Amino acid sequence: MNSIWYSVRRNGVAIQNGWIDNLPLNRIREHVSAKECDVVEVCVAKNFSEITDDRFSKIFIQRARGLVGIEITYRNKMERYAPTTMMASNLSFGRAIEKFITKHSINSDQFYTQATFRVFSAKQYLIFGNNQRSVHLYRGSTLVQPTSKIDSQMITNLADGIAQWMITNLSKDGEIPYKYWPSRGEYSCSDNAIRRFLTTIALARYGKLKRDHDIMLVANRNLRFNLSRYYQQIDNHRGAIVEKTGVKLGASALAALAIIECEAGKQFNEHLNKLSTGIHSLVDKDMGFRTFFFPAQRDGENWNFYSGEALLFWAKAMRHKTHHAPSISQFQETASTCRKLHRKRRNPAFIPWHVQACVSFIATTGCRKNAPFVFEISDWLLSMQQWDGLTRDLQGRFYNPKHPEFGPPHAASTGAYLEGFADALWLARKFEDRRREKAFEQTINRGFRSLRQLQFRDENDAFYVSKKHRVMGSIRTEVYDNTIRTDSNAHALLAAVKVLQLQPKR
């Protein structure tokens, strides 16, 4: 006998749910009295297995969320949390247990000595009212199938969806939300200037790709909002991006880069001059760049990110022939210092920013001295992309479980790495390095499969979302975490623009 979880959803909101036994799919809508406009979420549970204490942490892991459910029993109380419900609620296994304890007012110490747990798998479906149409889900979404070559149409769809999400959610004063929780329908109060300026850059480059003046105007509105919110003059000569947590090199570098990308120099020429002066003031012979204007005790933090962001601004300033650009020798000396430090302690966060900076420098100057380093660090990063042995929806992401200090898998990381690989691919083609060209193309293809899997593409992916305009087209953090963060979308859009520019014209 099958146990079946159902949830009747009207415009994403669950209005009725529960467990029923042994009913065919085509009879469920009638059984639960669903209306034509309702979508019924269904999990057909199977393979129940009791989990002993020694197996608990091996079974109820993060990447199992949305694939298996958990049954919790304490004395005469029992609750089951179906996989689709956990996805819709962005609920971890730990939080499910906490909810159970709170709901039944149980003493925690007694609970953990007496509770029993079972795990179960489930076939997942959405059943729509029109002709009993059903859609098979995998971890609460539909699967994006891998392809053998870079799929330009898929990447175009991904980019168009992200850009539309940004434009739809743009406020009257030009703000694009930093973080949104679809399950709760709420914005986060957290903030990050670097990630906001990254979004500005992404919109500007997308507008140029599309040759769309209206999108460029949106990017400029967003730039104006971000500068008015964060920019301050910190002394007679220097400007910087100021946040409550400190004044970061990376934030100033991306703000300056956003002004260049938006072609907004006339409007914000003073900002650009003083941001550039500030960036130059942090050049350091031992580190390449110091990373914080203040507080002093934070200097050196996030070096892997900020040093590359500053070099990328320099390279783009050189490319655009602005008077903010460093000399060729200063760029080379600073890049060489960073290179030496990276080799002493490699970190993947360093790679996409420095690849982009070096490739932009090569494209501008024709100097190939940095090319071997681009290939060296790109080759090293290849091994972090996961494929074989992973569930189908996780394939293509970047994560090294042997090095958790490199950080968890995250859409923002995948997008950033793909930005670097797009530039490395350009360089491989320029040097006619066919082996690397093939390897980078495969990595890019697989990475975009991962990002497309994380996108809210249609009503199937957003079946539990009531405010669909807040999510459609956006990228989730992971397949088991539906949090939307602006940098996840910005990195994905920037990578998409780079790859689309590399594709042959039809």
Side-chain angles (χ1 to χ4, degrees):
M1 179 177 292
N2 289 325
S3 293
I4 299 172
W5 163 259
Y6 76 91
S7 182
V8 180
R9 293 185 177 272
R10 189 168 298 163
N11 192 30
V13 178
I15 59 174
Q16 176 193 350
N17 53 48
W19 289 89
I20 53 180
D21 290 325
N22 216 35
L23 200 65
L25 284 180
N26 61 8
R27 290 184 55 197
I28 291 177
R29 288 187 63 89
E30 179 184 1
H31 181 82
V32 301
S33 302
K35 293 186 177 181
E36 184 72 16
C37 63
D38 297 335
V39 177
V40 182
E41 161 199 339
V42 171
C43 281
V44 182
K46 58 180 182 176
N47 301 329
F48 284 80
S49 175
E50 187 166 340
I51 303 301
T52 55
D53 290 346
D54 61 319
R55 295 179 60 218
F56 188 95
S57 61
K58 298 176 182 178
I59 299 298
F60 295 118
I61 55 178
Q62 186 80 305
R63 66 176 181 270
R65 276 173 62 185
L67 293 181
V68 301
I70 184 171
E71 179 187 273
I72 308 170
T73 303
Y74 177 80
R75 296 180 179 173
N76 63 340
K77 300 176 178 64
M78 188 270 283
E79 299 268 0
R80 288 176 184 155
Y81 295 88
T84 51
T85 297
M86 297 185 74
M87 292 303 300
S89 305
N90 217 23
L91 187 69
S92 67
F93 293 109
R95 282 287 297 126
I97 292 171
E98 290 174 11
K99 285 186 67 174
F100 182 91
I101 291 172
T102 301
K103 177 179 178 180
H104 297 290
S105 303
I106 302 169
N107 178 279
S108 295
D109 293 336
Q110 291 179 342
F111 172 81
Y112 284 106
T113 59
Q114 299 179 38
T116 60
F117 303 94
R118 290 203 298 172
V119 66
F120 61 91
S121 58
K123 290 186 176 180
Q124 306 172 18
Y125 303 92
L126 296 178
I127 307 176
F128 295 87
N130 45 342
N131 302 317
Q132 290 281 331
R133 180 173 67 90
S134 65
V135 174
H136 182 237
L137 301 179
Y138 188 90
R139 206 193 302 257
S141 184
T142 51
L143 280 171
V144 175
Q145 299 300 331
T147 57
S148 58
K149 296 181 179 179
I150 292 176
D151 187 339
S152 297
Q153 188 58 57
M154 181 190 74
I155 297 174
T156 298
N157 293 342
L158 177 117
D160 292 347
I162 294 171
Q164 189 57 55
W165 169 76
M166 290 178 176
I167 293 167
T168 298
N169 286 275
L170 185 82
S171 71
K172 291 181 180 179
D173 60 0
E175 180 180 12
I176 293 173
Y178 167 61
K179 185 189 289 188
Y180 184 72
W181 293 304
S183 297
R184 292 157 55 176
E186 296 177 2
Y187 293 109
S188 168
C189 62
S190 58
D191 201 5
N192 187 293
I194 287 178
R195 294 163 184 168
R196 286 187 182 272
F197 281 108
L198 191 71
T199 303
T200 310
I201 296 166
L203 265 177
R205 290 188 188 170
Y206 176 80
K208 292 174 188 174
L209 176 74
K210 293 291 185 177
R211 298 180 181 177
D212 191 316
H213 179 67
D214 290 338
I215 294 173
M216 291 300 297
L217 289 176
V218 170
N220 271 273
R221 281 178 59 198
N222 183 239
L223 173 63
R224 182 177 295 277
F225 170 84
N226 288 335
L227 288 173
S228 66
R229 181 169 184 149
Y230 299 107
Y231 176 82
Q232 291 183 31
Q233 191 165 324
I234 57 175
D235 57 31
N236 290 336
H237 306 289
R238 298 182 300 167
I241 301 304
V242 179
E243 300 173 84
K244 293 178 181 178
T245 55
V247 184
K248 309 165 186 173
L249 167 68
S252 291
L254 290 189
L257 182 57
I259 294 171
I260 291 177
E261 293 288 353
C262 287
E263 300 175 353
K266 291 181 180 179
Q267 299 176 61
F268 301 112
N269 193 51
E270 183 179 354
H271 295 72
L272 184 56
N273 287 337
K274 291 185 175 177
L275 285 168
S276 179
T277 300
I279 293 164
H280 278 271
S281 74
L282 294 188
V283 173
D284 184 89
K285 64 181 180 64
D286 296 319
M287 295 176 59
F289 291 97
R290 291 169 42 222
T291 60
F292 274 77
F293 292 87
F294 50 82
Q297 61 267 30
R298 294 197 65 187
D299 198 26
E301 290 182 20
N302 295 328
W303 178 85
N304 285 298
F305 296 99
Y306 299 170
S307 63
E309 289 162 359
L311 272 179
L312 180 58
F313 163 65
W314 272 8
K316 291 295 183 180
M318 296 173 75
R319 195 164 192 173
H320 286 262
K321 299 179 179 179
T322 74
H323 67 275
H324 314 94
S327 65
I328 289 178
S329 62
Q330 186 176 26
F331 182 97
Q332 290 283 50
E333 288 170 10
T334 306
S336 177
T337 300
C338 293
R339 184 180 309 141
K340 291 173 184 175
L341 289 177
H342 173 72
R343 284 176 173 149
K344 290 179 180 178
R345 191 173 181 178
R346 293 187 185 272
N347 190 297
F350 174 97
I351 293 171
W353 295 109
H354 283 263
V355 165
Q356 291 178 82
C358 288
V359 170
S360 181
F361 175 82
I362 292 167
T364 300
T365 65
C367 177
R368 298 187 173 195
K369 185 177 180 180
N370 296 311
F373 183 63
V374 169
F375 289 144
E376 173 193 325
I377 59 179
S378 298
D379 289 347
W380 182 82
L381 187 59
L382 283 172
S383 64
M384 276 193 62
Q385 188 174 45
Q386 296 183 299
W387 193 260
D388 295 331
L390 244 61
T391 57
R392 290 174 289 171
D393 58 340
L394 293 178
Q395 289 178 316
R397 71 180 188 173
F398 290 82
Y399 177 58
N400 188 338
K402 294 181 179 179
H403 288 278
E405 71 275 14
F406 291 162
H410 198 294
S413 299
T414 297
Y417 297 150
L418 291 178
E419 287 183 77
F421 278 116
D423 279 357
L425 174 60
W426 176 87
L427 195 62
R429 288 177 176 174
K430 183 177 179 65
F431 284 15
E432 297 183 351
D433 187 333
R434 300 306 178 206
R435 180 185 65 81
R436 284 194 169 96
E437 179 182 1
K438 184 178 180 180
F440 297 158
E441 284 179 346
Q442 177 177 270
T443 295
I444 289 167
N445 182 37
R446 290 177 169 182
F448 275 105
R449 192 228 66 83
S450 175
L451 291 177
R452 185 65 168 158
Q453 184 70 59
L454 295 174
Q455 189 169 37
F456 281 106
R457 289 161 277 141
D458 52 35
E459 62 181 353
N460 301 326
D461 301 309
F463 71 88
Y464 56 87
V465 179
S466 58
K467 301 174 183 177
K468 289 184 170 51
H469 67 289
R470 297 292 187 202
V471 308
M472 292 311 301
S474 66
I475 304 291
R476 296 168 287 149
T477 296
E478 247 298 358
V479 293
Y480 40 73
D481 180 355
N482 63 23
T483 303
I484 297 169
R485 216 170 71 180
T486 192
D487 58 320
S488 298
N489 290 275
H491 279 303
L493 182 55
L494 285 163
V497 168
K498 282 179 177 287
V499 173
L500 290 172
Q501 288 172 330
L502 290 174
Q503 297 306 99
K505 305 296 182 183
R506 293 183 179 179

